Amino acid sequence: MTHIGDNLHENTEIQEINEIELPPETYRLLMFRVYEKKLRDVWDNLQENKIEPILIKGWAAALNYPNPYSRRLGDFDVAVNPADFERASALQINLQLGEVDFHNGLRQHDKVEWNDLFDNSILVKCGEREIRILRPEDHLRVLCVHWLGDGGRDKEKLQDIYYAVKNRPANFDWDRCLAVVGEKRRKWIIYTIGLTHKYFGLLIDDLPFAGEAKKLPQWLVKTVEKEWNNPVQFKYLETCLGSREEFFKQLGRRFPPNPIQAAVNMEGDFDGSTRVIYQIGDVFKRFVPSIKRLSNVLRSKFSRER
């Protein structure tokens, strides 16, 4: 990637770039460079406090793209050793790392032990800094499970899967990607690659599981197409408390529960005859955390209004 923008001042802010008229491609590249500067700052802060993190999704996924700066970037998704999670969360408050989403290990995104993932992780250059990311096989698995865990709502994010597979290294180990998790999760990953083939034209005939990937469960296809065609954009309930209409619209968006998300949350079988039991279990599993988040937002809002 051409590193124009290397002469940006360390304190360059997004609003400063927005005040300059730039061609779209140049603008995206400069925004990418600002993002990288912030990423290096986050890494410095964590390592100065003896925390060795792993970056997932976002910038790590963008490295597979022909033009990394073309991928839309948001928060920094940072996985840390579960033993360091509380310290990392405290740092987020003390250092005001508001753009960082800390993950307690890989939580529900993966079943491989943290030490195994860390020992197999790799370091990549971000300017003069080295950033730790998952090895390609592990990262593809995490990208697939995360996308499914969001209910397959974001069609655009399938491009992360597309480029992770298309531009995988020559020595990519499919056994490392698929054989280290159970059969259910193996199928999750294969079917996500199959969806990427179906909707983005990913070439998969050379993959050892191509036949499986092309035999997508019809309920899975119907669910993603229904999600993509839904005119109501998904939002977190706690962000809709200011509008009763929007709040109830979002409640309706959640019932019945998304069967993909429910199956993943309940560690379900995508080849099973029904998803209803997973949807019921998902409602109970998510109810208390949802109420807790809403209560925290309401308490904070009332405290500010006093």
Side-chain angles (χ1 to χ4, degrees):
M1 183 182 70
T2 303
H3 288 286
I4 61 174
D6 279 335
N7 59 345
L8 285 177
H9 190 273
E10 288 293 329
N11 295 319
T12 300
E13 295 293 341
I14 291 175
Q15 59 266 29
E16 294 179 57
I17 296 176
N18 288 338
E19 292 172 358
I20 307 172
E21 290 189 13
L22 296 168
E25 187 169 351
T26 304
Y27 173 82
R28 287 194 298 269
L29 181 52
L30 290 178
M31 292 292 286
F32 189 80
R33 302 298 291 152
V34 170
Y35 186 94
E36 288 186 318
K37 289 181 182 296
K38 292 182 177 180
L39 174 58
R40 292 195 293 270
D41 289 342
V42 169
W43 234 246
D44 287 341
N45 282 325
L46 291 173
Q47 292 191 323
E48 284 171 5
N49 285 276
K50 310 301 181 186
I51 295 175
E52 287 293 336
I54 299 177
L55 185 74
I56 61 172
K57 304 185 295 174
W59 184 84
L63 298 180
N64 295 317
Y65 284 56
N67 296 315
Y69 56 85
S70 68
R71 188 195 185 277
R72 181 164 44 93
L73 298 175
D75 292 348
F76 302 101
D77 284 278
V78 177
V80 299
N81 189 320
D84 294 328
F85 181 68
E86 288 189 12
R87 286 202 302 123
S89 299
L91 280 177
Q92 183 175 33
I93 297 172
N94 295 336
L95 299 175
Q96 297 182 329
L97 301 177
E99 297 174 319
V100 181
D101 181 11
F102 282 113
H103 295 250
N104 188 351
L106 268 297
R107 298 187 298 195
Q108 75 274 21
H109 298 323
D110 205 39
K111 290 296 184 180
V112 178
E113 293 292 330
W114 172 263
N115 288 340
D116 188 347
L117 292 170
F118 189 89
D119 291 344
N120 279 278
S121 64
I122 59 177
L123 295 171
V124 294
K125 283 285 189 179
C126 178
E128 296 303 314
R129 199 78 174 78
E130 286 189 326
I131 302 296
R132 186 177 298 278
I133 64 174
L134 295 172
R135 64 181 284 176
E137 295 88 346
D138 293 338
H139 199 211
L140 174 59
R141 193 173 58 247
V142 168
L143 289 172
C144 289
V145 174
H146 181 269
W147 186 82
L148 293 169
D150 281 346
R153 296 186 185 93
D154 194 338
K155 184 178 181 180
E156 179 187 344
K157 287 293 177 63
L158 274 180
Q159 292 186 74
D160 285 354
I161 315 302
Y162 179 93
Y163 288 117
V165 175
K166 183 177 186 294
N167 296 326
R168 67 190 186 278
N171 63 347
F172 189 94
D173 184 353
W174 282 109
D175 281 342
R176 170 69 194 186
C177 182
L178 299 173
V180 295
V181 291
E183 182 60 22
K184 291 178 184 178
R185 284 186 173 244
R186 175 182 175 276
K187 281 295 187 72
W188 296 358
I189 298 156
I190 289 174
Y191 287 153
T192 307
I193 293 172
L195 288 170
T196 311
H197 163 72
K198 179 178 177 65
Y199 294 105
F200 283 90
L202 176 67
L203 300 178
I204 62 172
D205 286 343
D206 63 330
L207 303 185
F209 49 83
E212 292 178 88
K214 292 178 181 179
K215 294 178 182 177
L216 295 168
Q218 283 305 301
W219 73 266
L220 182 61
V221 172
K222 289 179 181 178
T223 300
V224 295
E225 290 184 350
K226 179 183 177 182
E227 286 290 344
W228 298 341
N229 292 322
N230 194 323
V232 179
Q233 184 180 0
F234 185 88
K235 298 178 183 177
Y236 292 110
L237 285 177
E238 55 266 32
T239 67
C240 305
L241 293 175
S243 168
R244 179 178 298 180
E245 179 183 359
E246 185 63 30
F247 182 81
F248 283 104
K249 194 181 291 185
Q250 288 298 317
L251 276 182
R253 184 84 163 76
R254 288 160 168 77
F255 290 96
N258 179 300
I260 301 174
Q261 190 171 38
V264 170
N265 287 341
M266 299 304 295
E267 201 69 26
D269 183 357
F270 277 19
D271 290 331
S273 59
T274 180
R275 263 64 51 199
V276 174
I277 191 66
Y278 302 141
Q279 290 171 296
I280 293 172
D282 184 56
V283 169
F284 285 100
K285 185 175 182 179
R286 296 166 67 90
F287 180 76
V288 172
S290 295
I291 293 298
K292 185 176 180 180
R293 285 197 305 273
L294 290 171
S295 299
N296 289 338
V297 172
L298 286 172
R299 276 200 300 269
S300 177
K301 180 181 178 181
F302 290 147
S303 296
R304 289 196 302 270
E305 290 176 353
R306 285 178 181 173

